[in-house]
Amino acid sequence: LVHRDIKLDNFCLNKAAAAVAAEWKTSEEKEPSAFLLDFGGVIAAPSLAADSSAVDSASKGKKTCFFGTPEYCSSTAFTGELPPTAAQDVEALGYCLLELWGGGRLPWGEKFRSRRETETARWSSSNLHEMRLARDADYVKAVASGAVPWWLDAWITHSKQQQEVFSLALAAAVARAQGKAAEGTSSSPPLGGGGALGAAAPPGTPNYRLLRSLLKAATAQASAEAEVAQEAAEKGRIVGSSVRARMEE
């Protein structure tokens, strides 16, 4: 499932978690828990099957309508070029952590709050494009100034790369679907059989070898970034445990 509207307003804490946040010590009631709310926009994760709606929409050039909150949504959600994925939720969660790290403020928060009075349905593609460019620019400035910790930047960067991997996988799925459709309607002999040796592929034939190579390279890069992010998270836990032990002392 993809939530599509991950933001701090959609989280709530139980009493144990509130005690931890307020007093930095474990509550005796039970383990602290956080709960995610507002599942009105939840949809199923997209499938890459040839007959799936995601592949059909991508092959026809259809874009996904914007849904979410501009302060937190993923960069790809602004454009609608990709169907909603779990990686978009992970990126949005990263911005929630950034807001907590920044003391309840995002580098671009004030710019977007003034737009909340405007209904989402009335935002044009140009408005969304401008908001995305402004937010990306503010994020780059925040990273350069040190306002974004390195482990959180690794988190957000990895989620964006996962979206790039899905984009390549979706392109490959569309190419396969279009290739099968072309084979079913074309009377010409299939490539590599029945035709002249060395004959060039007809215009518009998908380059499956190139798509597979790109997908493999992107997957390998994303795996490497995942390892870096995991190491960063482990270091963050160690530092957090050390700080907590000192405060308890």
Side-chain angles (χ1 to χ4, degrees):
L1 297 177
V2 184
H3 188 277
R4 297 201 295 168
D5 197 17
I6 300 292
K7 57 183 177 181
L8 289 184
D9 290 347
N10 283 338
F11 284 95
C12 69
L13 305 177
N14 64 1
K15 293 182 179 180
V20 172
E23 305 175 17
W24 199 267
K25 61 182 181 181
T26 304
S27 170
E28 297 180 357
E29 294 184 10
K30 57 181 179 179
E31 291 296 322
S33 300
F35 300 91
L36 181 60
L37 310 176
D38 192 3
F39 287 81
V42 172
I43 62 173
S47 170
L48 293 177
D51 58 347
S52 68
S53 59
V55 174
D56 180 64
S57 297
S59 63
K60 296 178 180 178
K62 294 182 179 179
K63 293 187 177 182
T64 304
C65 294
F66 176 79
F67 185 93
T69 306
E71 292 100 311
Y72 305 93
C73 72
S74 68
S75 297
T76 54
F78 279 110
T79 61
E81 296 175 355
L82 287 180
T85 65
Q88 292 180 339
D89 280 353
V90 173
E91 182 181 347
L93 182 58
Y95 298 136
C96 292
L97 296 175
L98 178 58
E99 184 173 8
L100 293 173
W101 183 270
R105 297 183 62 183
L106 283 167
W108 51 82
E110 297 301 326
K111 296 181 180 179
F112 287 88
R113 287 192 179 93
S114 61
R115 292 177 177 261
R116 286 185 177 179
E117 298 178 359
T118 307
E119 296 181 2
T120 304
R122 297 181 61 183
W123 286 341
S124 65
S125 58
S126 59
N127 292 145
L128 294 171
H129 180 67
E130 291 174 1
M131 285 190 281
R132 177 188 178 182
L133 292 179
R135 199 188 70 174
D136 289 349
D138 287 340
Y139 180 78
V140 171
K141 293 178 182 177
V143 172
S145 65
V148 182
W150 61 272
W151 57 268
L152 185 51
D153 183 43
W155 171 303
I156 294 174
T157 300
H158 175 65
S159 65
K160 290 183 177 181
Q161 290 176 341
Q162 288 294 95
Q163 295 170 55
E164 293 176 2
V165 171
F166 180 83
S167 176
L168 291 171
L170 181 61
V174 170
R176 286 194 298 270
Q178 292 176 343
K180 290 181 180 179
E183 290 176 1
T185 57
S186 175
S187 58
S188 58
L191 296 178
L197 294 177
T205 300
N207 191 334
Y208 295 109
R209 181 176 298 177
L210 175 59
L211 288 171
R212 284 195 297 268
S213 299
L214 291 173
L215 180 59
K216 184 177 180 181
T219 303
Q221 182 179 1
S223 299
E225 292 292 338
E227 295 179 0
V228 173
Q230 186 175 2
E231 293 177 1
E234 183 62 27
K235 291 180 180 179
R237 284 193 293 269
I238 294 174
V239 172
S241 300
S242 177
V243 172
R244 181 174 180 175
R246 292 179 182 178
M247 295 184 70
E248 289 178 350
E249 292 177 359

